[in-house]
């Protein structure tokens, strides 16, 4: 048995419990067991805890362990695993929809993790996998932007947004960003070419033309940017709404669409690209606050406030 952050019923953050009787994961041929050091809290963790998707994509029975991404050290590798050894520092995200890796020892498929960046702490590394891969896959795959093109990022100071600004710059994009008034200087420090305070200039009122709009908060719809998107431009959201769901379905049928929904999937090659950017100094995770696991409910409440700058982490084990 091992320790785990679990919820036995759906509800407010107070349903979270740090227990010591959770089943220890079984090792199989293509899996890796990771003794966790820290994990980040994502909006999806809140959705899972409150019962979202429980009748569709998240049907795992209760109780469930929480969490989607962590960092830590390898404690066991399956017989078909290559590239990882016991003791390696790693970071990664589970592709299991309901999560379950905010536990003492987490199990991953080998393709879901990567060696951790060497120039940041493991705590900071835990803030990276889900949010940074979401940003990368939104810009590269959904927006399909190339060097020199112009992108508008709405919600630029949060978990996904602060990575999106930096990744856009690493990709050679002209980067315009929208955030709240108190975070303008922070977003400027990330390298954005232009930053707009949404209380004065909401994203839909930015007077410029863009090859892509990445609406991290999913506040708008693609049609609301029709005057700002260049011909062939793409609107991408993280929030499933009828227009983005429809656009994503069309895109997956191989038809070009102007509206996409990013659905992040963890893979070792994307994590390697992100690790490389971090080690080159082009990408820096910003952790607003780290909470001890006993205060995990407070960490979840911080995410629910929608006032987080960068990321929030939970300390799960010894660094």
């Amino acid at each position: 048995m091992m320790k785990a952050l679990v919820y036995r019923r759906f509800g407010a953050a107070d349903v979270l419990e740090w227990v010591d009787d959770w089943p220890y994961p079984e090792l199989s041929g293509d899996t890796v067991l990771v003794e966790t050091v820290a994990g980040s809290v994502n909006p999806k963790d809140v959705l899972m805890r409150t019962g979202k998707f429980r009748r569709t994509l998240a049907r795992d029975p209760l109780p469930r362990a929480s969490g989607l991404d962590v960092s830590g050290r390898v404690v066991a590798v399956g017989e078909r695993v290559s590239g990882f050894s016991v003791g390696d520092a790693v970071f990664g995200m589970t592709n299991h929809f309901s999560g379950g890796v905010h536990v003492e020892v987490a199990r991953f498929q080998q393709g879901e993790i990567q060696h951790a960046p060497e120039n940041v702490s493991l705590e900071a590394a835990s803030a990276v996998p889900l949010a940074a891969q979401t940003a990368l896959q939104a810009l590269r795959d959904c927006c399909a932007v190339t060097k020199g093109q112009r992108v508008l990022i709405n919600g630029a100071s949060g978990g996904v947004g602060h990575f999106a600004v930096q990744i856009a710059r690493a990709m050679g994009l002209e980067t315009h960003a929208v955030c709240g008034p108190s975070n303008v200087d922070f977003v400027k420090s990330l390298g954005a070419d232009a930053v707009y305070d949404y209380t004065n200039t909401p994203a839909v009122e930015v007077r410029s033309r863009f090859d892509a709009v990445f609406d991290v908060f999913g506040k708008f719809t693609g049609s609301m940017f029709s005057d700002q998107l260049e011909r062939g431009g793409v609107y991408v959201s993280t929030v499933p709404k009828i227009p983005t769901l429809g656009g994503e379905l069309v895109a997956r049928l191989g038809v070009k669409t102007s509206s996409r929904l990013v659905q992040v999937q963890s893979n070792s090659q994307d994590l390697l690209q992100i690790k490389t950017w971090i080690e080159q100094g082009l990408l820096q995770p910003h952790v607003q606050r780290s909470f001890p696991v006993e205060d995990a409910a407070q960490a979840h409440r911080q995410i629910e406030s929608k006032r987080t700058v960068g990321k929030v982490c939970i300390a799960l084990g010894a660094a």
Side-chain angles (χ1 to χ4, degrees):
M1 306 300 280
M2 65 174 179
K3 296 177 181 178
L5 184 64
V6 307
Y7 49 99
R8 304 181 190 277
R9 57 187 174 86
F10 299 120
D14 292 329
V15 302
L16 292 166
E17 303 175 58
W18 183 236
V19 302
D20 59 7
D21 59 352
W22 198 249
Y24 197 89
E26 294 183 5
L27 182 70
S28 59
D30 55 359
T31 61
V32 178
L33 301 187
V34 177
E35 185 175 34
T36 61
V37 168
S40 82
V41 184
N42 297 282
K44 187 179 173 184
D45 294 314
V46 172
L47 295 177
M48 294 298 100
R49 192 200 74 227
T50 56
K52 189 74 171 177
F53 308 115
R54 65 184 183 273
R55 294 188 178 89
T56 53
L57 298 172
R59 297 186 180 184
D60 298 26
L62 295 173
R64 293 183 194 162
S66 184
L68 288 151
D69 54 357
V70 296
S71 63
R73 293 183 177 85
V74 174
V75 292
V77 295
E79 60 185 12
R80 293 190 296 275
V81 171
S82 61
F84 296 104
S85 301
V86 172
D88 287 351
V90 297
F91 69 149
M93 166 196 155
T94 178
N95 285 323
H96 183 65
F97 192 86
S98 299
V101 298
H102 285 181
V103 296
E104 188 175 9
V105 176
R107 179 174 61 191
F108 290 93
Q109 299 293 315
Q110 64 174 326
E112 296 172 335
I113 63 172
Q114 184 54 262
H115 296 281
E118 296 183 359
N119 61 331
V120 298
S121 68
L122 279 176
E123 177 186 87
S126 78
V128 173
L130 185 149
Q133 287 189 103
T134 299
L136 173 59
Q137 292 168 20
L139 293 167
R140 182 196 63 202
D141 303 335
C142 296
C143 294
V145 281
T146 56
K147 185 176 181 179
Q149 291 189 308
R150 309 178 83 204
V151 62
L152 176 66
I153 299 168
N154 182 50
S157 60
V160 173
H162 92 289
F163 284 123
V165 171
Q166 297 176 81
I167 289 171
R169 294 296 293 153
M171 293 173 64
L173 304 175
E174 183 179 325
T175 308
H176 294 237
V178 182
C179 63
S182 62
N183 297 323
V184 168
D185 288 341
F186 170 67
V187 175
K188 285 181 179 178
S189 76
L190 300 176
D193 293 290
V195 182
Y196 309 91
D197 165 6
Y198 67 70
T199 62
N200 295 322
T201 310
V204 291
E205 294 181 11
V206 175
R207 296 303 171 211
S208 192
R209 302 279 290 179
F210 300 98
D211 299 287
V213 172
F214 181 24
D215 184 10
V216 179
F217 287 160
K219 182 177 180 180
F220 304 105
T221 61
S223 62
M224 299 173 76
F225 293 92
S226 58
D227 291 338
Q228 293 156 283
L229 280 170
E230 299 282 7
R231 184 172 182 177
V234 180
Y235 166 87
V236 180
S237 174
T238 63
V239 178
K241 294 180 179 179
I242 290 176
T244 49
L245 285 169
E248 187 60 23
L249 176 60
V250 170
R252 288 174 182 255
L253 292 173
V255 179
K256 185 173 176 59
T257 178
S258 61
S259 182
R260 296 290 304 272
L261 173 67
V262 59
Q263 298 171 286
V264 63
Q265 287 286 300
S266 188
N267 72 82
S268 58
Q269 288 305 304
D270 282 357
L271 288 169
L272 177 59
Q273 175 63 81
I274 290 163
K275 163 185 159 69
T276 300
W277 279 331
I278 292 173
E279 292 178 340
Q280 291 174 340
L282 298 174
L283 188 61
Q284 177 66 42
H286 177 80
V287 178
Q288 177 177 328
R289 185 173 174 186
S290 179
F291 293 84
V293 69
E294 294 80 9
D295 293 335
Q298 192 174 347
H300 274 234
R301 291 189 199 100
Q302 173 63 46
I303 294 299
E304 289 176 307
S305 75
K306 299 182 179 180
R307 291 287 184 266
T308 302
V309 178
K311 293 285 294 180
V312 166
C313 295
I314 297 174
L316 297 168

